[in-house]
Amino acid sequence: MITFELTEEQRELKALAHKFAEHEMIPRAREYDLNATFPHDVCAKAFEAGLMNFQVPQEFGGPGLTTLDSCIIFEELNYGCAGIAGAIGANELATLPLLIAGNTEQKRSYLGALTAKPTFAAFAITEPGAGSDVAAMSTSYRRDGDFYVLNGVKHFISNGSQAQWYVAFATADRQRRHKGVSAFVFPADLPGISRRRMHGKLGQRAGDTAEVTFEEVRVPASGLLGEEGEGFKYAMITFDHSRPSIGSIATGISQRALDESLKYAKQRSAFGQPIANFQAIQFMLADMAIEIEAMRLLTYKAAWLVDQGQARSPLSAYAKAFAADACMKITTNAVQIFGGYGYMDEYPVQKLMRDAKLLQIYEGTSQIQRVVIARDLLKL
Ligand SMILES: Cc1cc2nc3c(=O)[nH]c(=O)nc-3n(C[C@H](O)[C@H](O)[C@H](O)COP(=O)(O)OP(=O)(O)OC[C@H]3O[C@@H](n4cnc5c(N)ncnc54)[C@H](O)[C@@H]3O)c2cc1C
């Protein structure tokens, strides 16, 4: 049977996250964006409010929420500020490989650290020479007694300069492409690890994006996640689980763009009347509302499928591709509705448009989502 009702617990979570966005994020978002300040204080408050590490199981100190619950929270936090929400939410991406392939000791140690106090973790797969083509990675590992020794550079890593631990991917033999890749979890303070925050982002500037370098880093053998040579598979399953979240980020940003546009269209006058009277403006608002409802439903369905154990469904890619592209269009039209003011940073829509762009790029670009979808359709 199909039901479109949220449970009482989900409605409460949504209200809590929305209130947090209104009180703790929106008032600070512009300043944090302009100064590219990492929002330590807001993250600490989110942690206290139970709005971090949603999917960590209760036995490791987390709330053990479902993917759908997480999406409901993410939508509201991203209504507030996608940059700050990114800082709060990046732990989820690092958590997933542990839930997928970690053993009990790894979960207890690393997930337990996240829930004990406000700390960060990062998922490091992208490299300067290998983004969409993950299997082309050159970060290498070799076995040396009770250790794996890692060498290489990861970049564009969310919370990479803040993380207390990493899930990182490396290859035993680059020629073997995806078959050579393994996943490791290890503390960020091991000798040989250096990191630096990367600057000059278009949007989501409050979030941390970093380059992380591994130079003869000796990871204890207990840091291998799952089976050797299965790292590529774990990364792909991680993305299947995480892509609905990008749909929810897009929904939050888009809903904010619509709400700001509605307010402005009613108060701004041209030719002696509110611009909301012009059909050209009304149609943009109507299209926004249609697309937001569609992306929310697609995101919920993709998240629900993940929660039913059907994460390999292409719906996660549908949700990410559709929501990211629609969000870009919606936020661009929000700037249009604001006219010249929309182009300036005095109003929030310019930031929404800049923040939206990342959704078409990370965790698989909009093109890569279509590659995934087409492969499924064509059974390739
Ligand atoms: C702010 C930010 C945060 C990020 N956070 C993380 C993180 O936490 N962890 C992490 O590991 N990575 C992270 N990333 C990296 C992100 O996932 C990659 O940037 C993304 O996967 C694209 O890789 P690329 O930048 O190397 O682009 P490329 O792979 O070089 O792609 C360039 C262009 O070619 C297109 N293209 C490539 N291959 C194909 C194909 N087969 N068919 C059609 N078109 C194709 C792409 O769609 C794109 O338009 C982040 C990136 C940014 C900008």
Side-chain angles (χ1 to χ4, degrees):
M1 192 159 104
I2 292 175
T3 169
F4 293 101
E5 289 283 333
L6 300 186
T7 64
E8 191 174 337
E9 193 196 351
Q10 287 168 337
R11 283 199 297 275
E12 280 169 13
L13 281 173
K14 190 174 170 68
L16 174 74
H18 190 82
K19 197 165 151 211
F20 187 86
E22 278 197 333
H23 294 282
E24 305 294 345
M25 299 170 88
I26 291 176
R28 296 177 173 82
R30 181 169 180 268
E31 180 204 332
Y32 279 54
D33 178 64
L34 288 179
N35 300 326
T37 312
F38 188 79
H40 281 287
D41 54 342
V42 188
C43 291
K45 285 184 178 170
F47 180 87
E48 293 306 327
L51 294 172
M52 255 179 110
N53 308 310
F54 323 125
Q55 295 198 57
V56 174
Q58 289 177 349
E59 58 185 305
F60 305 114
L65 296 180
T66 63
T67 309
L68 180 54
D69 295 339
S70 308
C71 284
I72 290 166
I73 296 174
F74 265 136
E75 178 183 332
E76 298 305 331
L77 296 182
N78 281 276
Y79 186 92
C81 171
I84 300 175
I88 293 170
N91 282 1
E92 307 298 322
L93 193 60
T95 296
L96 284 169
L98 277 133
L99 296 180
I100 291 161
N103 59 39
T104 307
E105 191 38 47
Q106 289 167 336
K107 289 180 194 165
R108 187 174 299 124
S109 165
Y110 291 99
L111 301 183
L114 289 186
T115 54
K117 57 181 185 183
T119 42
F120 302 98
F123 174 98
I125 198 162
T126 306
E127 302 182 355
S132 304
D133 187 5
V134 168
M137 72 174 60
S138 60
T139 295
S140 65
Y141 77 88
R142 63 174 195 278
R143 182 85 192 223
D144 182 8
D146 288 340
F147 294 89
Y148 291 99
V149 184
L150 268 62
N151 282 286
V153 179
K154 300 289 179 184
H155 81 164
F156 298 157
I157 306 307
S158 300
N159 283 359
S161 80
Q162 302 292 328
Q164 189 181 312
W165 53 267
Y166 296 111
V167 167
F169 296 80
T171 180
D173 176 2
R174 209 174 166 210
Q175 304 308 318
R176 296 182 64 214
R177 297 220 7 119
H178 60 279
K179 289 186 184 146
V181 177
S182 295
F184 302 91
V185 58
F186 50 90
D189 60 0
L190 289 182
I193 298 177
S194 55
R195 59 213 202 161
R196 65 168 184 95
R197 191 167 181 190
M198 300 171 83
H199 294 284
K201 280 191 296 184
L202 176 70
Q204 305 207 14
R205 289 182 187 153
D208 171 49
T209 306
E211 181 184 83
V212 185
T213 302
F214 305 123
E215 215 173 325
E216 289 289 292
V217 175
R218 295 178 73 78
V219 175
S222 59
L224 176 71
L225 266 181
E227 303 287 321
E228 208 173 333
E230 296 288 301
F232 181 87
K233 189 176 92 188
Y234 302 147
M236 294 306 117
I237 299 175
T238 296
F239 292 136
D240 291 334
H241 281 76
S242 69
R243 281 171 181 150
S245 305
I246 312 295
S248 66
I249 295 170
T251 312
I253 297 174
S254 301
Q255 186 66 56
R256 177 80 185 283
L258 174 58
D259 290 355
E260 295 292 342
S261 299
L262 286 168
K263 211 166 34 179
Y264 189 80
K266 285 191 253 178
Q267 80 192 27
R268 175 73 177 173
S269 283
F271 298 94
Q273 55 187 312
I275 61 168
N277 286 358
F278 302 129
Q279 200 178 54
I281 300 290
Q282 292 173 359
F283 280 15
M284 279 194 270
L285 295 169
D287 282 342
M288 287 180 182
I290 294 167
E291 286 169 1
I292 291 168
E293 191 58 16
M295 73 171 81
R296 186 178 285 120
L297 289 175
L298 192 47
T299 296
Y300 281 3
K301 183 170 179 192
W304 179 83
L305 279 169
V306 171
D307 291 332
Q308 305 311 305
Q310 297 177 50
R312 299 318 301 262
S313 142
L315 259 285
S316 288
Y318 287 25
K320 190 201 180 258
F322 177 77
D325 293 351
C327 182
M328 199 63 239
K329 182 180 150 203
I330 288 166
T331 52
T332 305
N333 279 343
V335 170
Q336 195 65 24
I337 289 169
F338 275 69
Y341 291 104
Y343 200 70
M344 312 305 284
D345 65 20
E346 167 187 2
Y347 285 92
V349 288
Q350 184 226 53
K351 175 178 177 299
L352 296 174
M353 181 178 156
R354 290 188 285 103
D355 288 349
K357 187 62 202 170
L358 181 58
L359 310 184
Q360 294 180 305
I361 295 173
Y362 67 179
E363 293 189 37
T365 63
S366 288
Q367 290 73 37
I368 292 300
Q369 303 310 314
R370 286 168 173 81
V371 170
V372 170
I373 293 163
R375 272 191 197 142
D376 176 73
L377 292 171
L378 296 164
K379 310 286 174 230
L380 294 176

